Amino acid sequence: SAVCECGYSTHSINTNENEVYTDALESDFLRLKDFNSQEDWDRQVWETPPVGTAKWGRNHTAANVRTNPGPPAAEGGVEGSDPGLQLWVSSGVPEGGSVPSGEVATRRRDMLYGSFRAGIKYTGEHGTCGAFFWQRNNNAEIDFEFLSKLYTDPSKADLLLVIHAAPEVSRNDLFHPTTVPFRPDFGYHEYRFDWTPGRITFYTDGKLIWETEKGVPSEAGGLILNHWSNGDPGWSNGPPAKDAHMEFSYVKAYFNTTSDAEYKIRCRDRSKPDAVCKVPDQTSPPEPKKSTTFVSPKKGLPEQGGPAPPPPQKVTPDATCGGSNGYTCLGSEHGDCCSSYGFWYVLAPRFLFLTLYQFEWRAM
């Protein structure tokens, strides 16, 4: 058995109920040195002309997505500013008519319901819009939106919670400004939304800020992080007077997918210890100087709160495998299939189906 093989248990703070999701995506951006070394996110490169009342277009470039790792207990990243994945918006009148901006998106587009969290510090430079959101298309989207032009009071700020749904759903039910008792640009905070069938719930630092049953998506999509400006006086304003950046310290997503075939193979016994991993709630601002808890075995680093990776297996020299010797048949001259009884076995393909029901087989 493996840690978390039967999923991840999340806690609904406002209802005190638990949900178990089959899959996880956890990204520790505080320790990420090379963006290309991770496999969950892609930089987005695209350009669009001005739309509506916007003065400029948007030009999302790879150069405006930067890593800024910080060692444990560090005040800042290697670039001197706050550590994390940085999405930049360039200042001044843009050459070519589009404002250089930054965006990344998950490679996975099969996320169907789940609990999604991000540690974010926004920019204090007025004239940008930032977002942490799930999206399938323009009619299926769940957003946290940040507008830096709204940040004028040192003790509070407005966030915009937005649902994109089919045109027949009233916009008044899908657009929800809310005031939080902190400035998003003064420090990191966790922004979280839980999406279940028929309901979406938004939190900041573990505190409920909005719940809605309107416009709830029912098909799969993926996560997007972006930071941009197009000079629209009704939204982003800008571009900013100085180059502006927002930081993401982490993203954690626990979700179901469009197919449970792999999960049914992976999850053998939910009653085993650690078969379902409990996901802790973040109920205070996440401090970058402290390691954030990750539960997925993919993280595999004790300092990050996850379990240490299992020791590597050795290729069998004598056709034995499994059992107590720790050998694997994968890559051996004897074949790639072995049994839990500690010996290698060859099966003619036409007898494989029957044999799988006669013995407990596993790939090593």
Side-chain angles (χ1 to χ4, degrees):
S1 64
V3 174
C4 308
E5 65 181 7
C6 292
Y8 305 85
S9 176
T10 65
H11 176 238
S12 175
I13 298 173
N14 63 314
T15 66
N16 204 32
E17 297 176 349
N18 295 321
E19 297 282 349
V20 175
Y21 296 106
T22 61
D23 287 55
L25 182 155
E26 295 180 324
S27 299
D28 182 3
F29 292 131
L30 292 177
R31 312 289 177 251
L32 182 64
K33 296 180 180 179
D34 178 5
F35 185 85
N36 294 325
S37 68
Q38 54 79 41
E39 300 178 346
D40 294 321
W41 301 84
D42 285 324
R43 291 182 173 98
Q44 301 299 293
V45 178
W46 54 273
E47 186 171 3
T48 186
V51 177
T53 57
K55 297 179 181 180
W56 312 101
R58 293 165 58 180
N59 182 18
H60 291 253
T61 73
N64 280 42
V65 177
R66 309 174 193 174
T67 58
N68 187 32
E75 292 289 347
V78 295
E79 300 297 329
S81 55
D82 293 294
L85 180 69
Q86 297 183 330
L87 303 183
W88 286 75
V89 175
S90 301
S91 59
V93 177
E95 297 181 6
S98 296
V99 181
S101 306
E103 180 176 282
V104 297
T106 55
R107 295 180 180 179
R108 296 193 68 159
R109 300 283 300 170
D110 62 346
M111 299 176 178
L112 180 60
Y113 306 120
S115 182
F116 306 91
R117 305 116 186 261
I120 302 173
K121 182 180 180 183
Y122 198 55
T123 181
E125 295 294 333
H126 286 194
T128 75
C129 174
F132 160 51
F133 61 106
W134 171 96
Q135 184 190 62
R136 177 177 176 82
N137 53 41
N138 289 336
N139 289 328
E141 191 171 310
I142 305 169
D143 284 351
F144 269 103
E145 299 264 0
F146 305 83
L147 294 179
S148 55
K149 69 179 184 181
L150 300 178
Y151 304 154
T152 57
D153 189 310
S155 62
K156 62 183 180 180
D158 288 336
L159 295 177
L160 303 175
L161 311 178
V162 184
I163 309 296
H164 291 237
E168 59 267 21
V169 182
S170 170
R171 179 171 171 79
N172 292 333
D173 294 326
L174 306 177
F175 183 80
H176 184 80
T178 188
T179 301
V180 292
F182 58 82
R183 280 278 294 267
D185 57 317
F186 284 2
Y188 291 88
H189 294 273
E190 182 179 89
Y191 301 87
R192 165 182 168 181
F193 58 89
D194 290 356
W195 167 36
T196 56
R199 180 176 298 173
I200 304 168
T201 309
F202 292 84
Y203 302 89
T204 54
D205 297 330
K207 297 176 177 61
L208 176 68
I209 55 174
W210 187 42
E211 185 176 51
T212 181
E213 297 179 357
K214 304 289 186 179
V216 179
S218 59
E219 296 182 277
L223 291 177
I224 299 176
L225 319 175
N226 68 18
H227 189 206
W228 57 273
S229 179
N230 63 2
D232 188 337
W235 198 251
S236 71
N237 278 5
K242 298 179 181 179
D243 290 351
H245 54 87
M246 66 182 298
E247 282 84 22
F248 291 81
S249 58
Y250 62 81
V251 171
K252 304 176 186 179
Y254 310 96
F255 54 94
N256 292 334
T257 68
T258 50
S259 172
D260 63 356
E262 187 274 338
Y263 174 76
K264 288 181 177 178
I265 295 174
R266 168 170 33 105
C267 179
R268 301 290 185 87
D269 184 357
R270 289 185 61 169
S271 67
K272 292 181 179 180
D274 297 327
V276 176
C277 291
K278 183 179 180 180
V279 178
D281 294 322
Q282 181 72 39
T283 57
S284 61
E287 297 183 34
K289 291 190 294 183
K290 297 181 180 179
S291 292
T292 299
T293 300
F294 296 95
V295 298
S296 168
K298 182 178 178 181
K299 296 305 299 181
L301 296 177
E303 69 179 27
Q304 295 170 330
Q313 291 181 302
K314 299 178 181 179
V315 176
T316 179
D318 57 6
T320 62
C321 59
S324 61
N325 60 26
Y327 290 149
T328 177
C329 293
L330 293 178
S332 77
E333 63 183 7
H334 307 291
D336 291 343
C337 184
C338 68
S339 79
S340 59
Y341 299 103
F343 59 85
W344 169 80
Y345 199 78
V346 177
L347 294 173
R350 63 178 179 175
F351 295 121
L352 177 59
F353 182 81
L354 290 176
T355 308
L356 286 173
Y357 285 88
Q358 294 169 359
F359 298 95
E360 179 187 357
W361 294 87
R362 63 182 178 181
M364 299 299 290

